[in-house]
Amino acid sequence: MVGNPFVSSLDYNRFCAVNSGVVESYYRVYSNGAFQTCTASDDDTIEVLQAFFVKPIGVAGTEVEILFTKDMSITRNGAAMELK
């Protein structure tokens, strides 16, 4: 389980591209008492500070380093946040 660390939505497609070697291309969210499985697509977003579940690639129990980059954070109009 990881969480969106941004105070804006997270573009899951960008997250998946950056972390493609360490996590599978789908994620799960817990909603209304059940898990929903979602796949990476152009319009998948993780809401502000929302937790989501990813599956590491490789042997169970090994450490995985997940990266978050500023271009994963998106504005309401869908553009990447511009940080200065």
Side-chain angles (χ1 to χ4, degrees):
M1 181 175 80
V2 295
N4 175 1
F6 302 113
V7 291
S8 64
S9 296
L10 175 120
D11 183 324
Y12 186 76
N13 194 39
R14 292 179 190 156
F15 172 86
C16 192
V18 169
N19 293 289
S20 65
V22 294
V23 297
E24 297 289 345
S25 63
Y26 64 90
Y27 66 97
R28 297 175 67 175
V29 292
Y30 190 76
S31 178
N32 297 323
F35 284 99
Q36 294 178 305
T37 300
C38 307
T39 57
S41 70
D42 292 338
D43 60 353
D44 278 349
T45 57
I46 306 295
E47 296 304 318
V48 176
L49 304 175
Q50 180 181 19
F52 58 104
F53 296 82
V54 294
K55 182 178 179 186
I57 294 173
V59 180
T62 58
E63 285 190 27
V64 173
E65 184 175 332
I66 296 173
L67 301 175
F68 289 93
T69 60
K70 66 181 180 182
D71 68 330
M72 293 177 193
S73 178
I74 56 175
T75 63
R76 289 184 186 193
N77 68 2
M81 294 287 287
E82 192 173 319
L83 302 177
K84 301 191 185 223

